[in-house]
Structures are given as structure tokens and as C-alpha cells.
Amino acid sequence: MNPLYIYNSLSRQKEKFEPLHPPFVGMYVCGPTLYSEAHLGNLRTYVSFDIVHRYLKFLGYKVRYVRNITDVGHLENDGDTGDDKIEKQAKLQHKEPMEVVEQYKQGYHKILELFNTLPPSIEPLATGHIPEQIEMVEKIMENGYAYDVNGNVYFNVRKYNEDHPYGQLSGRKIDELYNETRDLDGQQEKRDALDFALWKNVPKEHIMKWKSPWGNSGCPGWHIECSAMSQKYLGDEFDIHGGGMDLKFPHHEAEIAQSIGAIKKSPAKYWMHGNMLTFEGVK
Amino acid sequence: MSKSKNNSILPMELINGSHHLLDKAYSAMVVRFFMLQSHYSSELDFSNEALKGSEKGFNRLVESFDRLAGIKPKDPNAEVLQAIEKIESNCAMHMNDDFNTPKTIAELFELATLINKLYDGSLTTDQAGIDKIQQIIQNYFIDILGMKIEKAANSGLVDGLMKFVLELRKEARDKKDYATSDKIRDTMKDLNITIKDGKDGAEVVYNG
């Protein structure tokens, strides 16, 4: 019988699956940002990785499946400007941000159960891992790949790219990325348009804010939570990292850069991406 | 599917059929089955036509799997056994090929065709063959693809019958005919169905 082969987005080819520490398999999948009900595209991703989870178990592997919930730091337009999606929704609904998350979390779990997906082994929340995220940002700064401007900490993509190639996963070259990048309001303090936020300074009236070495009122950037939580529960290097195709860039690309930037190790051996949905041919 | 567009559909809207683009409601298992009929790395287009096709396919599989219990073991047939083993090894081959669920499902349709032939008597197999088929269904359909064998067509019937049973029991209790009401409760218990009495009347819990 032929062994299991997995299409690895990183190498762009099918590779024989050889876990780092058999019979154990560590798998991290990016979960939802719970500012609204999970939509069908999200569901498809979780069903796809449910198959991976179930099949690895069937093959006899002991799988630790970590799928996070983003409850802070995910800004509108997936970038570094604009409101936090959850904080904004909380204001609209006159609720605590955690109330918004809790409300949609229940619906999310109900749907996943209805669609017969097995629950993950660990479902960590970004707000529950602030110290881990701060520590990782500090390590990246110590290594010279991040800088602080007025309480905002940015990842220095150009500096990183001098030592490690940036864009390996998405297959993008740094020069091409410049052509795609638009100048956005409020990003002038970045040294470079490609840099992304690791820590954000937020107004002190925000509910979701934490003290950090960079100020009294801040919150983590969107990408750092997955790096910090996957490392905490699966180790510096683990087997499979998955998510929807839409997360490949910039989110997963940033995760790889953050881990290498902090501990000089690429987090996952196999990167898997589930494709998107259309309805009657329309995205 | 973008959340900001009007055509985005929530999972619950598929299940209760409330979305304006949908002709009807679909069960969660049919939608899951539909998703698995495409490879995870391919774009998946939801349409009324495709969903109806998957519903038909899902029902065809479940109906044939249901028939397995009605097949009597007969003389072993080497060709049939070989066909069963071929389906199993193909399922493994497709899953090992980057989790190819659509091709695995295609094998399960082959299995359904085989079961139907065993059921109508045009082919025969022994108990070992039947057990092997049962194992493939358990491994691939239930454990790996994560499908639940739900009797979509019968659920209305079961609900109707249970409502009738509860009515009979209530009538018996109202007449203080506890022998009958207890007999109903105990018989249901033997069938793994618990009848719980609450403030708002009796409630049925399926323990299966």
C-alpha cells in the first residue's frame, strides 16, 4: 500500500507524510475571528481539516489538533489600520467584546457539531495568550527584525529578507509585493510599506488593551497570535499548519517570518490550504 | 465566498432553507457530503442543482447501506470478495493521495452498486463478505468521511409514531391505567428511547 502523500503549499508538490515525532502529529489550523456568524466558506475549511484529523487518527497517529479563536487584533481589511473587528461589533451591539465573542462562539460550535466535525484538542483564544505574544515580539526585536514607533511595533520585512527569504509560501518576490502595496492612511510611521504590525498602540478608552514594554495601552497584531499559540502547544516545529487559501498571504507568510525571526525555526513542515467557495459561480 | 457580498450564505440558512437563492433546505450531512465530493484544494461552487445532485447521491448510498442488514449470507464467491477488497484498497489509495475524498466517495458508490446486487440476489457472498462490506462503510463512510447515517426520509415517520405513542401513554395515565403506561415506557426503554416526564408534558430522548 502506498503511504500518505500531502500537497505541501510550501514546496508546491505532494510530499510523503513523515511526522517529526511519530506516532504523534501536531496540527494547527487557523480558526475564525468571532465578530459575526461563521459563514459557509469557514465551515468548508473546518470540514476539510476534519477529514485530515480523522484520517490521521484512522491511520493510528496520536493527533494534537489546535484550532484557535481570534478574539482580538484582527483589523478591518486584514491590514494594520482601521478598527478591531470585534471591538467595533461590540460598540455597535452595546456589548463587551467578550460578550460578542461568546455569542458567536456558541453558534460556531453548534454548527461544527451539526456538521459532525470532531472538536480540536485545544482551542486557544488570542486574549488568553497576551504574555506569550509579547514575549515573542520581544525576541523578534532582540534579533533585530522589529522596531517600535510610538508604541506600535512593526516587523521589518526588508531586514528579515536580507537574512531569510520572505514570500516562500506564497511564492511572492519582495519586489513584486511593492508594486501591489498601496499607501494607506496612518501607515506613514512604518519604515516600509511591506512591514506589518506585531503590536498595536490603541486608544486608552478601548476595552481590549494590555500593558506591554511599548506602552500602557496596546493589543497584539493579527499574525502574532498564531505563531505564539502554535509554538506554545505544539512546539517550535510541528507537522501540519492549515487554513483557508485566503490566509496564505499575508497571514501565513507573516507567521513563518515571525517564527524564524524569533527562534530561527520555520514552524510547520507541511502547509495545507483549503480552497474557497462560490455560489452559482459568484465569489 | 466573501462575507461582505449579498450572496454569502450562512450554514444555518442552508439547513433551514431560508436563503433567498436556495430552492429548498438541505440536511447538514448532505451539505457535508456535497463538500467532500470536491477535493479540498479545488474551488467549490454551491448551486441548487449541485446540492440536489449530492442529496440524491447521499440518499442512494444510505439506502444501499441500509439494505446490508437484509442480505442473507450464501455461498462465498471469489469474484465478489475480490471486488470488495479492490474497493477497500482503492479507498485507502485515494485517501493516501492527499485526502482525495471525491474519489473515495466514487468507490463507495461502487460499493453501493455491489450491495444492491447482493440484495436483489444477482450476486452472492458469505458472512465474511458481508462483514467486510460493513467494515468499509464503518471505516470510510462513518469514521473517515465523518458521515452519519441518518434516515432523512424516515425522520418524519419516526417523529409521527413517537407522538402517537406518547398520546397513547398520556391517555392511559389520565385513566390511571398505569399498567399500560408503564408497559409503553419499558418497551421504549428496551429500544433505547427514554420518555421523560416534565412540566410541559413528556419528552423523548433517543439514547442510540
Side-chain angles (χ1 to χ4, degrees):
Chain A
M1 178 54 64
N2 55 330
L4 173 62
Y5 275 74
I6 295 181
Y7 181 85
N8 190 348
S9 304
L10 198 56
S11 65
R12 289 169 195 75
Q13 58 191 10
K14 282 183 196 169
E15 290 177 17
K16 189 174 166 187
F17 180 63
E18 288 172 318
L20 297 163
H21 309 288
F24 302 101
V25 172
M27 173 161 89
Y28 187 92
V29 171
C30 291
T33 302
L34 288 179
Y35 70 105
S36 66
E37 285 180 57
H39 62 116
L40 210 49
N42 299 137
L43 177 66
R44 186 191 182 200
T45 301
Y46 309 134
V47 167
S48 296
F49 286 101
D50 184 51
I51 295 296
V52 176
H53 183 198
R54 284 171 175 274
Y55 192 56
L56 291 172
K57 279 177 71 165
F58 175 79
L59 293 178
Y61 292 113
K62 308 217 175 311
V63 185
R64 182 180 291 167
Y65 175 21
V66 181
R67 188 183 61 214
N68 73 308
I69 285 175
T70 297
D71 56 354
V72 70
H74 195 169
L75 307 187
E76 290 174 302
N77 309 316
D78 297 350
D80 291 335
T81 57
D83 287 336
D84 182 292
K85 292 185 181 191
I86 288 165
E87 182 103 17
K88 185 183 177 186
Q89 197 54 233
K91 269 185 214 154
L92 286 172
Q93 297 187 18
H94 301 287
K95 285 178 175 166
E96 278 280 331
M98 278 298 112
E99 256 182 303
V100 171
V101 171
E102 197 58 43
Q103 167 192 336
Y104 293 121
K105 190 166 79 180
Q106 287 174 13
Y108 166 64
H109 284 157
K110 193 177 152 198
I111 288 291
L112 289 175
E113 199 186 325
L114 205 56
F115 279 79
N116 206 25
T117 63
L118 301 177
S121 329
I122 302 175
E123 192 170 51
L125 270 72
T127 54
H129 298 77
I130 300 295
E132 289 86 347
Q133 296 179 72
I134 290 174
E135 198 181 315
M136 193 160 202
V137 175
E138 284 181 310
K139 277 187 193 151
I140 297 170
M141 283 186 100
E142 279 165 27
N143 290 336
Y145 299 126
Y147 57 91
D148 168 15
V149 186
N150 307 322
N152 291 309
V153 181
Y154 293 104
F155 191 93
N156 190 335
V157 172
R158 189 158 280 278
K159 177 80 196 310
Y160 172 86
N161 192 57
E162 288 169 10
D163 303 332
H164 312 277
Y166 181 79
Q168 272 186 313
L169 179 66
S170 55
R172 300 187 190 206
K173 296 264 180 333
I174 194 161
D175 294 330
E176 292 167 12
L177 287 168
Y178 277 108
N179 296 331
E180 295 173 17
T181 313
R182 290 170 299 159
D183 284 330
L184 294 167
D185 289 339
Q187 297 207 354
Q188 287 87 346
E189 63 181 28
K190 283 186 191 178
R191 287 185 199 160
D192 196 297
L194 292 186
D195 295 350
F196 55 87
L198 296 171
W199 188 265
K200 293 284 292 177
N201 189 8
V202 297
K204 56 180 186 300
E205 57 272 20
H206 263 218
I207 297 173
M208 291 197 291
K209 60 175 193 287
W210 291 267
K211 274 187 188 173
S212 76
W214 313 288
N216 282 328
S217 168
C219 76
W222 174 36
H223 311 306
I224 195 74
E225 62 168 280
C226 289
S227 294
M229 296 191 293
S230 62
Q231 188 196 12
K232 177 171 172 121
Y233 297 112
L234 298 173
D236 292 350
E237 293 169 292
F238 53 93
D239 299 296
I240 298 172
H241 192 310
M245 200 77 96
D246 51 340
L247 295 179
K248 199 190 263 187
F249 188 89
H251 185 59
H252 291 161
E253 200 73 77
E255 274 189 59
I256 293 176
Q258 287 166 162
S259 289
I260 295 177
I263 56 167
K264 297 194 168 52
K265 280 176 184 165
S266 190
K269 191 172 174 188
Y270 305 90
W271 285 82
M272 294 181 69
H273 291 94
N275 212 327
M276 303 286 103
L277 284 185
T278 55
F279 191 85
E280 307 273 5
V282 184
K283 267 191 194 170
Chain B
M1 193 177 301
S2 164
K3 237 190 284 201
S4 53
K5 304 265 173 65
N6 288 329
N7 62 4
S8 79
I9 298 178
L10 297 172
M12 277 320 273
E13 292 175 326
L14 264 174
I15 292 171
N16 58 33
S18 62
H19 196 277
H20 68 280
L21 289 172
L22 289 172
D23 294 348
K24 64 188 279 295
Y26 297 92
S27 79
M29 278 308 107
V30 166
V31 177
R32 184 179 166 109
F33 186 74
F34 167 70
M35 287 176 170
L36 298 179
Q37 280 188 296
S38 290
H39 191 250
Y40 75 86
S41 66
S42 312
E43 202 168 80
L44 174 62
D45 188 42
F46 269 72
S47 67
N48 284 296
E49 209 179 325
L51 281 163
K52 278 176 206 161
S54 286
E55 185 172 56
K56 226 171 131 183
F58 176 77
N59 287 339
R60 188 155 84 80
L61 283 187
V62 170
E63 275 163 30
S64 90
F65 295 166
D66 264 353
R67 285 188 189 126
L68 193 63
I71 296 171
K72 299 235 163 18
K74 289 181 183 147
D75 293 336
N77 176 325
E79 271 177 46
V80 170
L81 208 59
Q82 230 171 29
I84 297 170
E85 278 165 4
K86 181 78 183 153
I87 288 170
E88 187 183 34
S89 68
N90 283 348
C91 283
M93 181 178 77
H94 296 315
M95 284 308 294
N96 278 338
D97 182 17
D98 195 26
F99 312 96
N100 197 321
T101 54
K103 284 190 177 171
T104 304
I105 288 173
E107 291 296 330
L108 294 176
F109 278 114
E110 294 289 324
L111 188 67
T113 305
L114 187 67
I115 293 170
N116 291 344
K117 283 181 184 165
L118 293 169
Y119 186 75
D120 69 22
S122 58
L123 288 174
T124 62
T125 190
D126 58 356
Q127 189 60 45
I130 294 171
D131 291 347
K132 191 83 205 160
I133 292 173
Q134 185 60 50
Q135 197 193 355
I136 296 172
I137 295 169
Q138 182 66 42
N139 287 349
Y140 287 92
F141 194 65
I142 295 172
D143 292 344
I144 294 170
L145 297 180
M147 304 306 305
K148 281 194 224 167
I149 297 192
E150 51 183 28
K151 291 168 188 142
N154 290 341
S155 64
L157 178 68
V158 172
D159 288 347
L161 284 172
M162 278 317 303
K163 206 174 154 200
F164 180 56
V165 168
L166 288 182
E167 266 173 34
L168 287 179
R169 180 165 168 270
K170 188 174 180 297
E171 280 174 27
R173 280 163 64 100
D174 288 347
K175 282 187 276 184
K176 299 203 189 311
D177 177 6
Y178 295 115
T180 304
S181 71
D182 286 350
K183 188 179 175 189
I184 291 172
R185 193 193 56 206
D186 293 341
T187 309
M188 289 298 119
K189 202 178 165 192
D190 289 343
L191 295 168
N192 271 331
I193 297 168
T194 309
I195 297 177
K196 283 185 179 172
D197 291 301
K199 267 185 272 178
D200 306 320
E203 187 194 353
V204 172
V205 181
Y206 297 93
N207 308 311

